[in-house]
Amino acid sequence: MDAGRTPSQTVGPYLHIGLDWLAAGQVIGTRGDLLITGTVYDGAGVPVDDALIETWQADAAGRYGGLLDDLPLGFGRTATDSAGRYRLRTDRPGAAPGDASHLHVLIFMRGLLKPLLTRVYWPGDPAIGSDPVLQRVPAARRASLLATAGDASQLHWDIHLQGPLETVFMEV
Amino acid sequence: MNDKAHAPGPVDAGTQPPYLYAPYVSTRLRAPTRPLLPLPEDAMTTVGPLFGPHAVQRRDSDLTLGGAAPPIGERLIVCGSVRDDRGRPLPGALVELWQANAAGRYRHARDDHDAPLDPNFTGCGRALTDSAGQYRFVTIRPGAYPWRNHPNAWRPAHIHFSLFGAGLLSRLVTQMYFPGDPLLPLDPVFMSTADARARERLTAHFDPHATVEAYALAFRFDIVLRGAQATPFEGA
Ligand SMILES: [Fe+2]
């Protein structure tokens, strides 16, 4: 039986009212040793100041799930600021054999009638060459899914909704 | 029975909105332009994020509490079920809700609509579904409000909903509308779903049974999320 899924609608510009309570800027249950930061750009290259980014990751052993104070371990939520920049503290996740370390990413904003799904991978992971999802990405666009290293405790990853640097988004 | 037949595939045309829907102007510079990458079948089978029973407090589901006095407006009960697309109820699902006040104004720095704020209304609530997959909020009827999408554009009265289901692909953000609103056919956000029957799922229904005598009318908004990705071995 197909019960008929409810259509998605945009999160709109006032999303913070309902969603900020979980947007602590740190992935739940992590030490927060690492800061991932970047800017979300629209098709005109203008920073998006009303985006929400949700992330989902495995623990150090590569397992998903679990609770901390009844909140989901490995879940992160952060909103972009007035300059279109997001900041999220986390730890490097583990990965299943053959997979490279990554965060699952969902992006919500005014102008998106349904979320965008993507991933961000850790730079320098030797498994990047064998990761089954990355291998499906045309080589010229793979860089859009790879964070770049700042100092030892910082990663940088921009999201481009359109344009020559358009981030690879996945079917949902 | 082969459960693979129920594995969620690409959505039927028109029952979900597209990314690019030109009448909703903000989609034009925000919709992706390249084809989406198909994922391997086993890439998104992880369960969660899930929430525990104390992730929210009981009073979080009553938006009429929390001020020094009750908020201005018509008090409403908004309730319904959360199920997956095989009809199975989803207990313990987190429902986050936000809305404008009765005058059509959000308590938000970017809302400059010339309508009064209500000091007794934040417009934010959350709840978990019970063991039968049911949720229930007490709130007030939100007002319609203008926006800048096109000349004399007004959003029909609506309540924003955010839901977590079995897995990441079940995640849903949507909006609930009220039956009979003359603004609905003029609203590009509502109309972005091409299929009229699918669009009807966004409209709540008056629920006389959930209506509480001498207290509040009830509107029922039943929500269906995408189910967890079935594995080839499930049910075999
Ligand atoms: Fe709204």
Side-chain angles (χ1 to χ4, degrees):
Chain A
M1 166 186 124
D2 181 358
R5 281 166 54 197
T6 306
S8 178
Q9 296 271 268
T10 180
V11 76
Y14 309 124
L15 68 162
H16 313 90
I17 295 171
L19 303 179
D20 257 3
W21 71 287
L22 258 185
Q26 180 159 337
V27 174
I28 293 164
T30 62
R31 295 179 309 275
D33 290 344
L34 196 85
L35 176 68
I36 304 182
T37 181
T39 302
V40 182
Y41 295 99
D42 74 9
V46 175
V48 172
D49 63 4
D50 54 7
L52 186 83
I53 294 170
E54 291 185 348
T55 66
W56 178 231
Q57 69 180 80
D59 65 15
R63 288 175 308 232
Y64 287 87
L67 293 173
L68 176 70
D69 297 334
D70 278 16
L71 298 177
L73 286 175
F75 175 73
R77 178 185 273 178
T78 182
T80 54
D81 63 17
S82 58
R85 196 186 338 250
Y86 71 90
R87 300 165 58 87
L88 185 70
R89 291 203 158 274
T90 188
D91 304 332
R92 181 175 177 149
D99 289 0
S101 285
H102 61 273
L103 306 185
H104 299 278
V105 178
L106 278 176
I107 304 163
F108 302 84
M109 65 181 74
R110 171 179 61 85
L112 280 183
L113 287 159
K114 50 190 177 182
L116 288 167
L117 175 68
T118 184
R119 297 176 169 209
V120 54
Y121 285 86
W122 256 250
D125 188 324
I128 276 176
S130 60
D131 183 273
V133 171
L134 267 183
Q135 282 189 316
R136 294 184 169 222
V137 178
R141 301 189 64 202
R142 261 175 223 159
S144 76
L145 301 183
L146 301 180
T148 53
D151 61 51
S153 64
Q154 206 160 322
L155 288 182
H156 187 89
W157 182 58
D158 289 338
I159 297 165
H160 297 267
L161 300 169
Q162 298 179 351
L165 299 175
E166 182 171 324
T167 302
V168 171
F169 301 108
M170 289 128 200
E171 281 182 2
V172 287
Chain B
M1 172 177 143
N2 179 7
D3 272 31
K4 263 193 98 172
H6 295 282
V11 175
D12 289 342
T15 60
Q16 293 283 334
Y19 286 110
L20 177 63
Y21 184 68
Y24 176 22
V25 174
S26 295
T27 66
R28 297 178 192 174
L29 285 175
R30 296 184 168 196
T33 64
R34 310 281 194 101
L36 301 179
L37 184 78
L39 284 172
E41 201 168 326
D42 60 351
M44 296 296 294
T45 52
T46 61
V47 171
L50 299 175
F51 292 78
H54 304 295
V56 306
Q57 310 298 312
R58 196 173 174 78
R59 58 184 287 120
D60 291 340
S61 62
D62 189 337
L63 285 76
T64 68
L65 303 176
I72 300 292
E74 179 188 351
R75 185 164 47 222
L76 294 181
I77 292 160
V78 175
C79 58
S81 61
V82 180
R83 295 172 186 275
D84 70 15
D85 50 14
R86 291 156 76 180
R88 297 179 298 197
L90 292 170
L94 177 68
V95 186
E96 298 167 289
L97 175 156
W98 67 103
Q99 64 169 85
N101 68 21
R105 177 85 186 268
Y106 285 92
R107 181 174 293 280
H108 193 286
R110 290 179 195 163
D111 186 358
D112 56 4
H113 175 36
D114 180 22
L117 281 168
D118 183 340
N120 296 309
F121 192 67
T122 65
C124 166
R126 42 192 175 265
L128 293 163
T129 55
D130 64 16
S131 57
Q134 304 280 323
Y135 72 87
R136 183 181 187 270
F137 289 95
V138 178
T139 185
I140 49 120
R141 186 191 285 266
Y145 60 84
W147 61 317
R148 296 179 178 87
N149 188 72
H150 55 275
N152 207 8
W154 291 79
R155 295 295 332 278
H158 61 273
I159 298 178
H160 295 267
F161 275 76
S162 157
L163 293 111
F164 288 79
L168 212 59
L169 297 185
S170 309
R171 187 89 176 80
L172 177 72
V173 170
T174 189
Q175 301 181 28
M176 182 203 102
Y177 301 91
F178 290 88
D181 191 327
L183 292 172
L184 288 174
L186 305 176
D187 179 47
V189 176
F190 177 73
M191 295 301 290
S192 64
T193 297
D195 184 280
R197 277 187 58 210
R199 235 168 23 230
E200 278 173 27
R201 299 174 200 143
L202 296 173
T203 305
H205 297 278
F206 170 58
D207 185 344
H209 304 292
T211 291
V212 177
E213 183 170 359
Y215 179 68
L217 295 181
F219 283 85
R220 168 162 285 270
F221 180 49
D222 292 330
I223 297 164
V224 178
L225 306 181
R226 182 181 191 159
Q229 292 236 327
T231 71
F233 306 105
E234 187 188 339

